[in-house]
Amino acid sequence: MDPVKVGLLGLGTVGGGTAIVLKRNAEEIARRAGRGIVIDYAANLDLSRAEELGLGNVRLTQDAFDVVNDPDIQIVVELIGGYTVARDLVLQAINNGKHVVTANKALIALHGNEIFAAAQAKGVMVAFEAAVAGGIPVIKAVREGLAANRIEWLAGIINGTSNFILTEMRDKGRSFGDVLSEAQALGYAEADPTFDVEGIDAGHKLTILSSIAFGIPLQFKQTYTEGISKITAEDVSYAAELGYRIKLLGIARRTDAGIEQRVHPTLIPQRRLIANVDGVMNAVLVKGDAVGATLYYGAGAGAEPTASAVIADLVDITRALTADPENRVPHLAFQPSQLEDTAILPIDEVETAFYLRMCALDRPGVLADVTRIMGERQISIEAFIQKEPTSGVDKVDIIMLTQRVREGNMNEAIAAIEALETICSSVTRIRVETLG
Ligand code: HSE
């Protein structure tokens, strides 16, 4: 059988990795797919990059629309990122009856509902394994491997750059900016690194995971996102003293009131496996009612790990080319007509435990004021540390762990504590999850 002809948009980190792995493992990939998979046409602004990647015999263009409009191309692989031109390219490819593979989490999180509806209407497939957690086949695991389960919750370290920064801060005491520059040089960080450190990239990925876990439309705008840029070396070390690690977690949980969909720095007990996922590695913990807790771990970014997911999608599409469109795996795991409109909870309604750090004047009665404010709002204190004042300074750091409380109550308590004259800084608050 003739090989499947692929059009590759973008020859950056992931595009390059995809070209290299497709070539290196061509024989084995063809044995799996049932036929060869070849790059026939590639688009990149810098055409010399194609030479570097050994794509000398591939048709090349600087205009990605040439590829999506080419009649010979059966599958378009979109690896240029962003969500304006990428959206136009993907919709045009679908309109031209081509299948699409993308690693673009922002595109799927923001425009996935529209893209899947267009694909459904045209009877083509859109595959996006590489959009979440790089090389870890977590989309496939949740969408297919756990299809028997009612998913209760999932929690993931799904931004390698943030995890790398937090790990280096903890282990080597390195500064935030220094580690971020290294992540950029290694090709892990997004084009706009605020997407990594402010939780946006993780929010895109969590939005996708939540949809396939619970069978709801993609709703990035309802996802709460908070990044790691305000985490200090003190927080990392106080958390360790209390037996916790700080990780940027994406959490999606089904509750009676609605679905929690949130990304924020989180204290996790250090005995949990996921608390020990370090550096640029990613991990996703998924709790199903039948299977219990399952953990998926691996490289969340990088050229060949992400290419691994892109090519797995190419193999899946190649195998399914002749399948009846009605019998393919649905894009969001549940049949399109079966998606539910369960509400996503505003963050004020979410219940978690909290780590609080504040600086207080070292005077009698200060703690009594703080604990009274907490008690009046039904907030129970689980653990407490007061640091010795540094010599010559009459200020102390107070660190508390609370029991679970509604976030709205905690916001009120923090506002009242910050209004006390004896509290000398804003209160740092980090949510705590036991993931038990
Ligand atoms: N910037 C992303 C990360 C790349 O650091 O995880 C992979 O999506």
Side-chain angles (χ1 to χ4, degrees):
M1 203 183 287
D2 285 343
V4 172
K5 290 184 177 169
V6 171
L8 183 55
L9 312 183
L11 295 176
T13 305
V14 182
T18 301
I20 288 167
V21 177
L22 258 184
K23 192 165 176 190
R24 187 175 70 225
N25 296 344
E27 198 184 320
E28 199 128 349
I29 289 167
R31 283 174 58 212
R32 290 198 167 103
R35 59 199 283 200
I37 299 175
V38 295
I39 299 172
D40 182 60
Y41 205 175
N44 202 51
L45 286 178
D46 173 10
L47 295 180
S48 67
R49 171 81 170 141
E51 207 62 48
E52 254 173 67
L53 294 168
L55 293 176
N57 55 346
V58 166
R59 291 186 291 149
L60 297 172
T61 175
Q62 287 179 306
D63 182 356
F65 282 94
D66 290 344
V67 177
V68 302
N69 290 327
D70 187 279
D72 285 346
I73 296 302
Q74 291 161 281
I75 310 175
V76 168
V77 178
E78 183 279 304
L79 301 175
I80 57 173
Y83 32 64
T84 47
V85 180
R87 171 179 167 274
D88 294 344
L89 286 164
V90 164
L91 288 174
Q92 177 77 8
I94 292 169
N95 199 39
N96 289 340
K98 300 181 193 310
H99 306 284
V100 173
V101 173
T102 180
N104 192 332
K105 51 258 163 154
L107 178 71
I108 297 297
L110 271 78
H111 300 297
N113 298 323
E114 177 192 15
I115 288 169
F116 298 147
Q120 190 80 13
K122 276 283 180 180
V124 296
M125 293 171 265
V126 176
F128 51 94
E129 181 64 70
V132 179
I136 309 173
V138 65
I139 300 281
K140 196 162 191 83
V142 177
R143 191 162 61 182
E144 298 173 48
L146 300 183
N149 289 262
R150 181 172 164 84
I151 306 293
E152 295 172 0
W153 56 264
L154 59 85
I157 295 174
I158 45 182
N159 180 264
T161 301
S162 296
N163 204 42
F164 182 53
I165 293 173
L166 289 172
T167 305
E168 292 287 302
M169 281 171 74
R170 186 195 71 214
D171 290 352
K172 301 183 188 153
R174 290 177 66 190
S175 79
F176 184 93
D178 174 33
V179 190
L180 177 57
S181 305
E182 189 180 340
Q184 287 176 289
L186 291 168
Y188 298 144
E190 295 303 298
D192 176 353
T194 58
F195 274 39
D196 293 297
V197 299
E198 298 304 347
I200 312 293
D201 175 73
H204 291 147
K205 295 166 180 167
L206 181 73
T207 300
I208 299 171
L209 284 174
S210 182
S211 286
I212 62 169
F214 305 128
I216 55 172
L218 295 149
Q219 295 162 80
F220 174 66
K221 284 197 181 134
Q222 314 300 327
T223 304
Y224 176 81
T225 54
E226 180 184 319
I228 61 162
S229 58
K230 296 195 183 78
I231 301 291
T232 64
E234 287 78 30
D235 292 320
V236 172
S237 111
Y238 291 148
E241 227 175 286
L242 290 159
Y244 291 83
R245 298 254 164 99
I246 301 179
K247 295 289 179 189
L248 182 72
L249 273 196
I251 299 169
R253 179 181 278 124
R254 200 198 290 266
T255 75
D256 290 342
I259 288 170
E260 296 176 11
Q261 201 164 289
R262 51 193 168 98
V263 171
H264 48 71
T266 312
L267 267 74
I268 314 171
Q270 63 197 15
R271 65 181 181 279
R272 295 268 176 250
L273 267 181
I274 197 169
N276 295 281
V277 170
D278 285 334
V280 77
M281 302 308 274
N282 281 198
V284 184
L285 190 53
V286 185
K287 172 80 172 13
D289 67 339
V291 71
T294 56
L295 180 65
Y296 309 88
Y297 168 86
E304 294 205 8
T306 312
S308 165
V310 168
I311 296 169
D313 278 346
L314 283 171
V315 171
D316 264 0
I317 291 180
T318 302
R319 286 172 176 153
L321 278 177
T322 52
D324 166 5
E326 298 307 313
N327 292 323
R328 292 176 185 152
V329 179
H331 293 115
L332 289 178
F334 292 69
Q335 296 300 333
S337 61
Q338 297 300 313
L339 295 184
E340 288 177 349
D341 60 359
T342 318
I344 298 196
L345 290 177
I347 193 73
D348 270 9
E349 299 297 325
V350 168
E351 265 193 23
T352 59
F354 284 87
Y355 158 101
L356 303 177
R357 174 172 58 81
M358 61 199 81
C359 163
L361 298 182
D362 193 14
R363 306 247 171 90
V366 175
L367 268 183
D369 286 341
V370 171
T371 52
R372 176 184 47 76
I373 288 171
M374 309 268 263
E376 282 168 0
R377 289 160 183 86
Q378 321 302 322
I379 303 171
S380 182
I381 297 167
E382 174 94 18
F384 176 88
I385 305 177
Q386 180 178 328
K387 291 287 160 187
E388 298 280 307
T390 336
S391 63
V393 181
D394 69 342
K395 292 176 182 167
V396 290
D397 266 353
I398 295 173
I399 299 99
M400 288 178 196
L401 287 185
T402 74
Q403 291 186 350
R404 289 170 68 81
V405 56
R406 203 183 131 267
E407 177 125 355
N409 289 26
M410 181 52 85
N411 288 339
E412 278 179 30
I414 287 176
I417 292 169
E418 285 177 342
L420 293 171
E421 283 181 358
T422 46
I423 295 297
C424 42
S425 68
S426 57
V427 175
T428 293
R429 142 259 304 273
I430 308 177
R431 298 168 191 87
V432 180
E433 292 286 346
T434 53
L435 304 179

